[in-house]
């Protein structure tokens, strides 16, 4: 993974000999070693000095296939915003997932790289409540060395009647580099992205999109299925109608070659679902048949204006996941949930807390690493550095 390490060790014989050969301080070389990458402005120098050690490097040697520093397709990541999955092509997704994977490995080793966002400011602007998404962006930004501000909308001028665009103008004047936005209205982050001069990341807008959740779910799946999600069968179940998580997941999973099914009562399925490119089921027994993964969604009572389900008890009886219904899926099937969970409504605690079945804790852990990867890629694109 870390090409800098192999160049420093294998060609120059370690950090100190490399520092001497390249006429740099040992701490500079150590920085490259730990980051796993050598800044592009030093490549020529390294190529030149490697010749004395009988190694003839080319710029391609600074982009090994598994390095997070480049897309695995040799296609540069140039997106400045992360607003919906539709904005990305498959190579962009591969770049993001491989960066997320890189940070997942690093966090296991507990050595985050704080130079990636050093000197940059990340502002979290959450107009809707959030625990895991907001905190994971905060942690991701801090682990990469950014200054992080989380705007408490309840105590900000927004509650005093300031419009979204006034808030954007005020924030823009503070010159953030990355703005993470969650809003109850679909399209709010996209609108903001046209008014501010920094990268905007959609952390969930209305029922529309939640691209970073879809990316972290895809990364969690790759980890759980040894990197191979092609051909998996996944059932996304429950309140599809109000779910931005379902919308973004369907798009991304379809792109990754996963067979997606939606399972829910007719009242909780969108009217245009026949255009989503998925199979639709109304009962768990047929919907879960042969599935490798069951992704449960929260019943989003706050987005319901009337009664979409007869009662919570009846909902659990027909659509909540318990061991009996999970037995309809493949033996050994895994369970996911983006959180927060309504225990006893869409999922039983027995399933949610069983580490042999549930990937829910992994989703939270992967969320931080995936968001580090997203921030890294956007920051590189801002700086014109190839990702
Ligand atoms: C989801 C959201 O906010 O859309 N949660 C999350 O991001 N962790 C799903 C939900 O609220 O049910």
């Amino acid at each position: 993974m870390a090409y800098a390490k192999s160049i420093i060790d294998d060609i120059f014989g370690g950090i100190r000999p490399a520092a001497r050969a390249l006429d740099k301080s040992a701490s500079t070389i150590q920085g490259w070693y730990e980051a796993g990458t050598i800044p592009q402005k030093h490549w020529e120098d390294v190529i030149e000095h490697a010749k004395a050690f009988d190694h003839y490097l080319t710029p391609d040697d600074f982009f090994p296939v598994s390095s997070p520093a480049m897309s695995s397709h040799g296609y540069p990541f140039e997106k400045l915003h992360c607003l919906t999955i539709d904005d990305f092509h498959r190579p962009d997704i591969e770049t993001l997932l491989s960066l997320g994977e890189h940070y997942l490995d690093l966090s296991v080793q507990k050595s985050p790289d704080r130079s990636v966002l050093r000197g940059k400011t990340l502002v979290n602007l959450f107009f809707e409540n959030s625990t895991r998404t907001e905190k994971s962006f905060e942690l991701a930004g801090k682990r990469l060395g950014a200054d992080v501000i989380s705007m408490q909308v309840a105590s900000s001028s927004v509650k005093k009647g300031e419009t979204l665009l006034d808030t954007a103008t005020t924030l823009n004047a503070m010159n953030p580099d990355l703005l993470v936005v969650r809003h109850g209205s679909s399209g709010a982050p996209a609108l903001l992205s046209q008014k501010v001069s920094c990268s905007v990341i959609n952390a969930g807008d209305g029922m529309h999109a939640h691209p970073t959740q879809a990316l972290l779910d895809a990364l969690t799946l790759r980890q759980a299925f040894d990197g191979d999600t092609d051909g998996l069968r996944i059932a996304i179940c429950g309140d599809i109608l109000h779910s931005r998580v379902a919308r973004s997941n369907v798009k991304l999973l379809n792109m990754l070659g996963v067979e997606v099914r939606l399972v829910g009562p007719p009242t909780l399925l969108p009217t245009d679902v026949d255009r989503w490119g998925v199979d639709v089921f109304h009962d768990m027994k047929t919907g879960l048949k042969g599935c490798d993964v069951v992704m449960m969604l929260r019943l989003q009572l706050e987005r319901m204006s009337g009664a979409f389900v007869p009662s919570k008890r009846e909902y659990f009886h027909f659509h909540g996941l318990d061991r009996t219904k999970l037995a309809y899926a493949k033996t050994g099937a895994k369970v996911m949930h983006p959180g927060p969970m309504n225990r006893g409504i869409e999922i039983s605690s027995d399933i949610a807390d069983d580490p042999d079945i549930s990937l829910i804790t992994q989703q939270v852990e992967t969320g931080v690493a995936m968001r580090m990867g997203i921030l890294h890629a956007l920051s590189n694109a801002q700086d014109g550095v190839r990702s």
Side-chain angles (χ1 to χ4, degrees):
M1 176 78 94
Y3 74 80
K5 202 169 168 185
S6 61
I7 291 178
I8 293 164
D9 283 337
D10 303 342
I11 300 182
F12 295 102
I15 293 176
R16 286 188 182 280
R20 275 195 298 277
L22 297 167
D23 198 25
K24 300 258 177 298
S25 70
S27 62
T28 301
I29 305 297
Q30 182 150 9
W32 300 352
Y33 196 85
E34 282 170 8
T37 54
I38 296 175
Q40 193 164 3
K41 62 180 180 204
H42 299 296
W43 292 356
E44 219 176 290
D45 213 21
V46 173
I47 292 172
E48 211 40 51
H49 287 89
K51 289 181 189 159
F53 294 81
D54 280 326
H55 281 275
Y56 296 88
L57 297 171
T58 70
D60 281 348
D61 294 306
F62 293 80
F63 287 124
V65 172
S66 59
S67 165
M70 76 170 272
S71 110
S72 44
H73 298 256
Y75 170 98
F77 182 93
E78 287 170 335
K79 302 290 186 304
L80 290 173
H81 305 291
C82 175
L83 299 172
T84 85
I85 294 295
D86 303 301
D87 297 339
F88 299 122
H89 297 294
R90 177 80 190 253
D92 296 320
I93 297 294
E94 292 300 335
T95 302
L96 292 170
L97 291 175
S98 74
L99 278 165
E101 204 161 27
H102 167 69
Y103 284 113
L104 206 54
D105 293 347
L106 276 190
S107 96
V108 171
Q109 297 161 18
K110 294 258 181 293
S111 62
D113 180 356
R114 293 187 200 275
S115 65
V116 175
L117 295 184
R118 188 170 294 142
K120 296 211 170 187
T121 304
L122 181 152
V123 174
N124 263 335
L125 183 61
F126 278 64
F127 294 87
E128 274 188 349
N129 288 341
S130 165
T131 316
R132 63 213 82 212
T133 307
E134 182 177 358
K135 291 295 167 233
S136 83
F137 269 112
E138 193 172 326
L139 207 53
K142 285 182 177 162
R143 286 201 177 151
L144 294 177
D147 292 321
V148 181
I149 304 168
S150 286
M151 294 271 298
Q152 295 308 321
V153 175
S155 57
S156 76
S157 333
V158 176
K159 277 271 141 73
K160 297 177 194 154
E162 195 174 86
T163 67
L164 177 64
L165 294 180
D166 287 336
T167 310
T169 312
T170 310
L171 283 176
N172 205 36
M174 296 174 193
N175 287 320
D177 301 281
L178 298 142
L179 184 59
V180 180
V181 186
R182 169 170 287 194
H183 199 281
S185 303
S186 300
L191 182 65
L192 276 179
S193 73
Q194 291 160 18
K195 305 287 171 193
V196 295
S197 44
C198 62
S199 291
V200 175
I201 299 151
N202 181 2
D205 60 333
M207 307 189 309
H208 173 234
H210 197 350
T212 69
Q213 178 73 39
L215 283 159
L216 80 86
D217 287 341
L219 186 55
T220 307
L221 285 169
R222 282 208 172 166
Q223 296 287 315
F225 291 89
D226 296 326
D228 192 11
T229 50
D230 200 22
L232 283 183
R233 183 182 284 175
I234 299 191
I236 304 181
C237 310
D239 185 358
I240 317 279
L241 176 65
H242 300 103
S243 178
R244 52 199 177 200
V245 173
R247 284 176 178 79
S248 289
N249 257 307
V250 165
K251 287 183 178 151
L252 183 53
L253 293 172
N254 271 339
M255 210 193 277
L256 296 177
V258 173
E259 182 193 324
V260 187
R261 294 174 165 198
L262 298 180
V263 188
T267 48
L268 291 178
L269 285 162
T271 47
D272 65 344
V273 76
D274 51 327
R275 280 183 269 135
W276 285 27
V278 294
D279 293 320
V280 179
F281 298 83
H282 299 308
D283 74 288
M284 296 287 271
K285 189 166 184 175
T286 45
L288 265 51
K289 194 159 185 255
C291 286
D292 302 277
V293 179
V294 183
M295 184 185 286
M296 298 308 297
L297 298 172
R298 185 173 64 88
L299 198 56
Q300 302 209 3
L301 298 164
E302 78 280 16
R303 296 192 208 282
M304 297 182 189
S305 46
F308 283 74
V309 292
S311 75
K312 288 177 190 160
R313 216 180 132 114
E314 195 172 322
Y315 184 78
F316 183 72
H317 178 70
F318 287 109
H319 296 282
L321 190 67
D322 54 13
R323 287 201 189 256
T324 314
K325 295 197 198 75
L326 186 60
Y328 302 141
K330 258 193 193 162
T331 313
K334 300 287 183 199
V335 172
M336 300 173 80
H337 192 305
M341 286 181 275
N342 292 312
R343 290 168 182 267
I345 298 181
E346 72 261 356
I347 190 165
S348 71
S349 285
D350 176 36
I351 298 275
D353 300 334
D354 184 338
D356 292 331
I357 298 176
S358 168
L359 297 176
I360 299 169
T361 310
Q362 281 95 313
Q363 285 175 273
V364 179
E365 188 187 335
T366 307
V368 178
M370 190 61 247
R371 282 159 181 144
M372 288 169 82
I374 294 166
L375 296 175
H376 185 152
L378 293 176
S379 164
N380 272 1
Q382 286 172 351
D383 299 345
V385 176
R386 190 177 164 153
S387 281

